[in-house]
């Protein structure tokens, strides 16, 4: 056990640039955390922080604490590497500067947790879509919670996330480039639509989809989208799904936005998952492992 822990701690030094003494100090803090997560896994999270460019002891511990709470709360629903992605999103959207890294991660985790609890959408595809659209979304001033709302509706209706994110990126870009044509297609006033694009892109997309939904079925939309030079069949499938389920989009966005602002949902779920009988058994096993390593 001692040898394995030494290997794990060596990995932390490699990715974070921390000294041996600093890593040992962090591990003393890890021992004090009230969590069912094994200390080896906490060190893995510390290494993940280092791979994101986080190198100070305080920030690494913030990342580990936030990542651990999200991981315990959402469990296997997240999939491999999703917690790292949530950390990347916090940094990419700049929320780590306003909420702190831990707070930003917990806000994203809370929005994700509420979407999963209140819809058939799954955590992994939602976070994948959010990551894939984050670059364009950030430039267009669309929030993480709003992107998650689109993802939730798409996942509920069996759309493939990589395809959907490509289509959405294309839609946002083309709306900026040719807003008049998009407005005319949906029968919207051009000047007002252009203004809305530049003040609230998310609302512009939602209102455009609401108008598109009134145009007809996919056979009609296919020709319309072709005029916009959108990406053929893929665009028709994704955008007609969103247009036909715009109520799911707006409801998921509302839920995610409220949960993101509060940032407490994932902590509440962590408290539930961290106090089960199995959780107490896990914690006892951790104490035994730590004692054997000390010896």
């Amino acid at each position: 056990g001692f040898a394995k822990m030494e290997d794990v701690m060596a990995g932390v030094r490699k990715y974070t640039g921390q000294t041996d003494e600093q890593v040992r100090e962090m591990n003393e803090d890890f021992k004090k955390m009230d969590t069912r997560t094994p200390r080896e896994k906490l060190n893995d999270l510390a290494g993940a922080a280092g791979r994101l460019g986080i190198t100070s002891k305080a920030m690494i511990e913030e990342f580990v604490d936030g990542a651990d709470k999200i991981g315990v709360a959402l469990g296997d629903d997240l999939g491999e590497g999703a917690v790292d992605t949530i950390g990347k999103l916090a940094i990419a959207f700049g929320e780590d500067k306003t909420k702190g890294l831990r707070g930003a991660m917990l806000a994203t985790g809370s929005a994700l947790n509420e979407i999963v609890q209140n819809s058939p959408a799954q955590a992994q595809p939602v976070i994948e879509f959010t990551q894939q659209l984050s670059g364009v979304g950030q430039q267009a001033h669309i929030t993480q919670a709003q992107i998650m709302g689109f993802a939730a509706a798409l996942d509920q209706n069996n759309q493939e996330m990589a395809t959907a994110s490509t289509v959405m990126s294309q839609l946002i870009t083309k709306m900026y480039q040719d807003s008049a044509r998009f407005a005319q297609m949906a029968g919207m006033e051009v000047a007002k639509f252009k203004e809305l694009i530049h003040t609230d892109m998310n609302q512009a997309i939602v209102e455009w989809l609401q108008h598109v939904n009134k145009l007809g079925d996919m056979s009609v939309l296919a020709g319309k989208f072709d005029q916009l030079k959108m990406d053929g069949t893929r665009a028709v499938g994704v955008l007609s799904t969103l247009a036909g389920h715009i109520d799911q989009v707006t409801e998921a966005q509302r839920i995610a936005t409220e949960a993101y602002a509060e940032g407490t949902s994932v902590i509440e779920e962590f408290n539930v998952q961290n106090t089960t009988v199995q959780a107490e058994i896990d914690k006892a096993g951790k104490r035994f492992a730590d004692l054997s390593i000390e010896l």
Side-chain angles (χ1 to χ4, degrees), residues 52-211:
L52 292 177
I54 302 167
T55 55
S56 77
K57 177 176 176 290
M59 290 289 286
I60 292 169
E61 291 189 0
E62 268 197 50
F63 178 91
V64 170
D65 185 56
D68 175 53
K69 283 182 168 52
I70 294 167
V72 171
L74 290 163
D76 294 337
D77 291 342
L78 277 176
E80 189 69 28
V83 173
D84 296 10
T85 300
I86 289 172
K88 290 178 184 176
L89 288 171
I91 296 169
F93 279 85
E95 296 288 355
D96 58 320
K97 296 178 177 64
T98 55
K99 293 177 175 288
L101 181 58
R102 178 182 181 275
M105 292 176 68
L106 293 178
T108 300
S110 293
L112 187 61
N113 187 54
E114 285 299 310
I115 282 178
V116 170
Q117 288 187 354
N118 289 280
S119 76
Q122 299 297 307
Q124 187 172 4
V126 169
I127 206 67
E128 285 176 2
F129 180 89
T130 305
Q131 181 191 28
Q132 290 159 1
L133 200 63
S134 61
V136 173
Q138 186 184 3
Q139 292 298 317
H141 304 291
I142 303 174
T143 68
Q144 286 186 61
Q146 289 165 346
I147 294 173
M148 286 183 184
F150 288 115
L154 289 163
D155 186 50
Q156 289 178 66
N157 293 283
N158 301 312
Q159 293 296 309
E160 202 272 322
M161 292 295 104
T163 298
S165 63
T166 300
V167 170
M168 285 296 292
S169 294
Q170 189 180 32
L171 174 69
I172 293 167
T173 303
K174 286 185 177 293
M175 273 189 170
Y176 277 120
Q177 294 172 341
D178 199 358
S179 51
R181 185 176 291 186
F182 275 82
Q184 289 164 357
M185 171 189 165
M188 302 171 72
E189 190 175 326
V190 175
K192 286 186 177 180
F193 186 62
K194 283 184 175 181
E195 182 182 358
L196 189 58
I197 283 175
H198 291 284
T199 56
D200 189 345
M201 174 56 89
N202 178 69
Q203 189 59 34
I205 295 170
V206 169
E207 289 190 19
W208 182 78
L209 288 169
Q210 288 170 335
H211 282 80

Side-chain angles (χ1 to χ4, degrees), residues 251-273:
E251 177 62 8
Q253 287 187 341
R254 182 191 67 78
I255 290 169
T257 299
E258 289 177 2
Y260 190 94
E262 293 170 2
T264 57
S265 174
V266 78
I267 297 175
E268 292 166 3
E269 186 63 25
F270 169 84
N271 290 335
V272 171
Q273 300 299 331

Side-chain angles (χ1 to χ4, degrees), residues 166-167 170 174 225 228-236:
T166 300
V167 170
Q170 189 180 32
K174 286 185 177 293
F225 289 143
L228 297 174
K229 296 181 170 56
M230 294 295 289
D231 194 7
T233 307
R234 297 195 305 171
V236 176

